[in-house]
Amino acid sequence: MLKRLLYSGDPFIWLTGGALAFSLLMIAALIWIVAANALGFFWPDQLRAVDLQDGQKLLGVVRATEAIPQQDGSDAPAQYRTQFQVANRDLYGSDFRWVDDHFMTAHVFPEEVVYLERYEWGPFFGFLTTVRQDGLVLTEGFAQAWPKFQELHTRTQATLDKIHSIEKKDIGRINYELERLRIALKSTQRKETHPVRAAKKITALELEIASWQQTYETMAQELTALYKENARYHIVVQDINGKQKELAIAGIVRAFLPNTMSGLERFSLYVTRFWEFFWEAPREANTEGGIFPAIFGTVLMVIIMSIVVVPFGVVAALYLHEYAKQGPLVRAVRIAVNNLAGVPAIVFGIFGLGFFVYGVGGTLDQLFYQDVLPTPTYGTGGILWASLTLALLTVPVVIVATEEALSSIPREWREGSLALGATKWETLQKIVIPGALPGILTGTILAMARGAGEVAPLMITGVVKLAPTLPIDGHFPFFHLERKFMHLGFHIYDVGFQSPNVEAAKPMVFMTTLFLIVIVIALNLVAISLRNRLRSRLRFGVF
């Protein structure tokens, strides 16, 4: 009976199905753990004021509770401790504090406690006491100070928006023009041999440079006035133990009263925070703010990598399968391709650094960017070289998948096409390649998934902790593929392992991980949708 059951193959089917179900459960559990730890990050919790046995007080948000390990192995009842996010890093030196539960005597939720999100030093929990202008007291007491603070905060944020607009748009354009003119001046001095023409061109360029520098000085004066205007307004807040701190209103992102907010207000703030995390740039050593530059860099890198790897891998597979004479040499090439898929990713990074960055990039700088040297343009890490490095890393996946897809095309299709008078290229173009497209897209999906998650090669070919500008902007040629970029995978590594404040960085790690998973899934779904559409067309004989 057992022998007959084994020969029937049913146990192996059950085993395969069980393994698949277990794998799906593991994936679902992983996504659930990441999402559960990430999505609660933006919810505005209440602030709890706790009295301690030593007479001190504590104000913060409960973040975790755990049992205190028993040192002597006794059977005494388990005791617990609670982790509070107390914020106020500039006062306490740490954002988090563990307190034994038996050490706490009472707790309340004061209505006047203020949650301040700051551009620097993280959040501040305390009580608003005074609003000052130019060092003079405007209002005192929470009832008068809170509405006055809200009025001044709206004003200072509008001024900050104007400052950022001037810095990024106006001064950014001026710096771009000055750099362009500086390069043109250097080029003229190097290339123009006729002294009269050279003098005229140099004079014209110098006059234009002086004009832009004058515009820059005007903008700088306007910026100085705006910064001085914002520096006039301050508030005085005190922590739960009465220690006071003076804060610039312009340095506060937002302020709210967490213990008096309604459910709708909390949800509205949650959505606002979530959107800011998606759209804004990071701050505070990447532990606060948003991750949009990392999202943009990741998506753009995967797109460039796919544009390069798919044609290259498909052409290589077509030659090996359809044109190359099968023999020891072709078998050796296939073995090499398969072995290439097992090479550590960091080796590809070293190759990319040596070949693309120093070799190709350095040569391009010598040929086309002599006037910019010694500052390298393409002779340093950038998103182009990182994408090409990952294209080399993932090309074996595309080659193998494409060859498998080509092998799946029935021989009769080829013979029928040739018998009807079609050439070999026409057969490939009209019959073989359209039929193999679903398999080719499968290889593309696998390559995109692997490329999006790789970090090691990027660390030496162009990724950075914080990129000042995106690879795409409004200045010609608009696509600046020589620029360095941010990547979600490296952002996770940097925040999780290089952050000076590990506890505060944990939610950011989970949120970034969740976004990386979502982006990989979204890119794959697009490719899968396209593959299914091609399969449908293939099923009905439409190419």
Side-chain angles (χ1 to χ4, degrees):
M1 183 69 180
L2 179 60
K3 188 175 182 180
R4 186 184 306 167
L5 183 63
L6 291 175
Y7 276 119
S8 68
D10 290 343
F12 300 103
I13 297 176
W14 299 336
L15 183 62
T16 304
L20 175 61
F22 183 71
S23 300
L24 293 176
L25 285 175
M26 290 180 63
I27 294 172
L30 172 64
I31 296 176
W32 171 258
I33 291 172
V34 172
N37 285 277
L39 295 178
F41 175 41
F42 303 111
W43 187 259
D45 294 308
Q46 288 186 311
L47 291 175
R48 181 179 307 191
V50 179
D51 293 331
L52 305 178
Q53 290 183 1
D54 60 359
Q56 293 291 311
K57 294 183 179 181
L58 178 147
L59 178 65
V61 179
V62 175
R63 293 302 184 193
T65 301
E66 67 179 20
I68 300 174
Q70 298 290 340
Q71 300 294 333
D72 54 0
S74 62
D75 296 331
Q79 295 183 347
Y80 293 87
R81 61 180 182 178
T82 301
Q83 185 189 48
F84 289 88
Q85 182 185 4
V86 296
N88 305 5
R89 190 189 313 157
D90 42 351
L91 293 182
Y92 306 148
S94 176
D95 289 86
F96 294 84
R97 179 179 174 183
W98 285 97
V99 180
D100 295 348
D101 287 359
H102 67 271
F103 197 67
M104 297 183 287
T105 58
H107 64 87
V108 293
F109 297 93
E111 294 185 353
E112 295 183 355
V113 66
V114 181
Y115 189 122
L116 300 173
E117 293 183 22
R118 300 184 289 178
Y119 289 104
E120 296 179 350
W121 293 101
F124 190 98
F125 304 157
F127 300 88
L128 178 62
T129 61
T130 308
V131 177
R132 293 176 179 173
Q133 178 179 340
D134 299 325
L136 302 177
V137 175
L138 287 179
T139 57
E140 284 188 309
F142 176 79
Q144 291 76 32
W146 176 246
K148 189 63 177 178
F149 161 78
Q150 291 179 306
E151 174 192 340
L152 294 176
H153 184 256
T154 302
R155 186 187 305 176
T156 56
Q157 290 302 302
T159 305
L160 273 180
D161 291 339
K162 189 174 182 180
I163 289 173
H164 294 157
S165 176
I166 293 174
E167 290 177 338
K168 292 182 178 181
K169 295 180 181 179
D170 298 333
I171 291 186
R173 180 172 59 88
I174 293 171
N175 288 333
Y176 174 81
E177 294 295 337
L178 286 174
E179 180 65 14
R180 181 184 62 81
L181 292 171
R182 185 188 69 81
I183 294 173
L185 181 61
K186 189 175 180 181
S187 177
T188 301
Q189 292 172 342
R190 182 175 61 87
K191 294 180 179 179
E192 187 60 68
T193 57
H194 194 281
V196 177
R197 288 198 300 266
K200 289 183 178 179
K201 291 181 179 179
I202 291 173
T203 301
L205 289 172
E206 289 177 342
L207 288 174
E208 194 172 355
I209 289 174
S211 174
W212 281 109
Q213 286 178 337
Q214 181 61 39
T215 306
Y216 177 85
E217 293 296 331
T218 303
M219 290 291 178
Q221 292 175 3
E222 184 178 355
L223 275 179
T224 301
L226 291 173
Y227 275 115
K228 286 183 178 179
E229 174 64 21
N230 265 1
R232 299 174 61 194
Y233 308 107
H234 293 78
I235 58 173
V236 177
V237 290
Q238 67 178 23
D239 71 348
I240 191 67
N241 292 301
K243 190 173 183 179
Q244 293 190 339
K245 177 74 176 180
E246 183 173 332
L247 304 175
I249 295 180
I252 298 172
V253 180
R254 68 168 55 86
F256 55 93
L257 306 176
N259 293 346
T260 60
M261 296 175 68
S262 64
L264 184 60
E265 290 173 332
R266 293 180 190 276
F267 180 75
S268 176
L269 180 56
Y270 177 86
V271 174
T272 301
R273 283 175 160 181
F274 191 92
W275 174 250
E276 288 177 353
F277 182 80
F278 170 80
W279 185 248
E280 291 187 352
R283 62 177 189 269
E284 277 291 276
N286 289 348
T287 59
E288 295 181 17
I291 58 170
F292 178 76
I295 294 174
F296 186 89
T298 303
V299 174
L300 182 61
M301 185 208 68
V302 171
I303 292 174
I304 297 173
M305 180 202 74
S306 302
I307 292 173
V308 174
V309 73
V310 173
F312 187 80
V314 171
V315 169
L318 280 173
Y319 177 79
L320 289 175
H321 193 272
E322 301 292 335
Y323 289 98
K325 185 178 180 181
Q326 303 302 313
L329 181 60
V330 173
R331 287 197 296 271
V333 170
R334 284 198 176 94
I335 293 173
V337 168
N338 292 331
N339 289 337
L340 197 63
V343 174
I346 191 65
V347 176
F348 284 94
I350 297 297
F351 174 82
L353 179 67
F355 180 75
F356 291 125
V357 178
Y358 295 150
V360 179
T363 303
L364 290 175
D365 284 352
Q366 291 293 335
L367 293 176
F368 303 106
Y369 298 94
Q370 292 186 23
D371 300 319
V372 184
L373 294 173
T375 302
T377 302
Y378 283 95
T380 184
I383 191 170
L384 175 62
W385 305 138
S387 302
L388 293 180
T389 302
L390 287 186
L392 285 180
L393 187 147
T394 55
V395 72
V397 178
V398 179
I399 292 176
V400 172
T402 302
E403 279 211 80
E404 291 294 332
L406 294 173
S407 300
S408 67
I409 302 300
R411 183 179 178 182
E412 292 80 4
W413 290 16
R414 293 180 173 87
E415 293 176 348
S417 176
L418 294 173
L420 292 172
T423 63
K424 187 169 185 177
W425 169 243
E426 288 174 336
T427 301
L428 286 175
Q429 183 182 7
K430 300 294 182 63
I431 303 297
V432 178
I433 294 179
L437 271 179
I440 294 173
L441 285 175
T442 299
T444 304
I445 293 168
L446 296 174
M448 290 169 59
R450 184 179 180 189
E454 287 291 347
V455 176
L458 307 180
M459 296 172 65
I460 48 181
T461 55
V463 76
V464 290
K465 178 185 180 74
L466 184 63
T469 54
L470 296 176
I472 297 177
D473 60 19
H475 300 300
F476 183 82
F478 310 118
F479 288 86
H480 305 276
L481 301 183
E482 78 281 1
R483 289 181 181 175
K484 299 185 184 297
F485 68 106
M486 295 181 66
H487 185 270
L488 288 172
F490 181 77
H491 191 270
I492 294 169
Y493 163 77
D494 177 68
V495 175
F497 298 97
Q498 304 296 318
S499 173
N501 194 348
V502 177
E503 288 292 335
K506 280 183 180 179
M508 182 72 73
V509 171
F510 282 110
M511 276 303 304
T512 308
T513 303
L514 182 62
F515 267 89
L516 180 57
I517 293 173
V518 170
I519 287 174
V520 172
I521 292 175
L523 291 172
N524 288 346
L525 285 178
V526 172
I528 291 171
S529 175
L530 181 60
R531 182 185 65 184
N532 292 338
R533 184 172 300 179
L534 290 172
R535 280 179 175 171
S536 299
R537 296 176 62 184
L538 179 63
R539 185 180 301 115
F540 293 103
V542 181
F543 298 122

